[in-house]
Amino acid sequence: MVKNIAVIRGDGIGPEIVEQALNVLDKVSKLYGHTFNYTDVDMGGCAIDKYGDPLPEAELKKCVESDSVLLGAVGGDKWNGVPGNMRPEKGLLRLRAGMGVYSNNRPAKIWSQLADASPLKKSIVDEGIDFIIVRELIGGIYFGEHKTEGDTAIDVLTYSEAEIERIGRIGFETARKRRGKLCSVEKSNVLDSSRLWKKVMHRLADEYPDVELSDMLVDNCAMQIVKNPSQFDVIVTENMFGDILSDEASMITGSIGMIPSSSLGKTSCGLYEPIHGSAPDIAGKDVANPIGTILSAAMMLRFSFDMPKEADAVENAVSAYLDAGYRTADIMSEGMTLVGCKKCGELIIGNIRKD
Ligand code: NAD
């Protein structure tokens, strides 16, 4: 198969981790007889430096016209002073909106080899951590009006029934393919938008009798994720709640550097990125963990390119690398072998097999 991939290396550690993911894709294409064409796209701080704009229209067009987009990360202190609507992260929001990817899926799964890296008690980890957060990505307060009038700042939170329904359906469909449990997270004791959210979710539940729907307030959910994570199968929630909860969920699995994500809309053209940021503190030092980006590439193979065997091959290669005792600094523990970003990529590539 021939696939055209838009590649956004971005800022900070972005270029280093994306390089490793591309090397992995190259190995997959050789083994399985595919052709992956890459088109470089400038977004984030590097685009501000080059064009004075975090995502010029021509760059967005390359993404929309691709079969999928692989992104490293954007942002950094260097661009902290630029006006709000020109910040690197604004490029990311525009990209998500421009691609129409309204559903962000983040798995929170503990790798058995990294159980010791979780900050949770062993007894909690032993119960198992394996859930997915389905986050609404292009609505809510991040996309509402933002303004400051005198000494008052205003951010507007809006959700329509249609917006809730389309993400709600992704939640039900995802649960249906897993253990059949869906937890809808909101703040319906305070927010109108959350009361609407809850109403729509319960209306949809009638169409998915095989899925068990439960409701949870977001503050309780934040607590339950660390107290009893094994209770969750799929969590569906709005944009800001999902942003916060998914970072919390990533941490209990050991390292933010390990977690991939996919963002999809109506078409198979998806956006794939690790959940972490550009980590300016370790940029250019060859110490970043590229696994979150490599697993994002595996998700691209699985969900956008319908290549499940190829995705399995990449995920198995990561597992074999961990089994062999190699670790980047963020997940290093006693008795393991410390490797850098590049070496990590090379070792994983060496483990990719065609079954
Ligand atoms: P961050 O995720 O970049 O870093 C948080 C901590 O995790 C740092 O100590 C960092 O070294 C570490 N870390 C992150 N990724 C790692 C990896 N792959 N391997 C090893 N360690 C890793 O979050 P931050 O410091 O809050 O943000 C830095 C910049 O990234 C900011 O400009 C922020 O706006 C931006 N950001 C971008 C995205 C994105 O592009 N999707 C997401 C979040 C933050």
Side-chain angles (χ1 to χ4, degrees), residues 13 73-76 89 92 256-257 273 276-282 288-289 330:
I13 59 170
V74 296
E89 295 77 10
L92 193 54
I256 200 169
E273 55 178 318
H276 58 74
S278 60
D281 52 330
I282 55 167
N289 187 347
D330 55 315

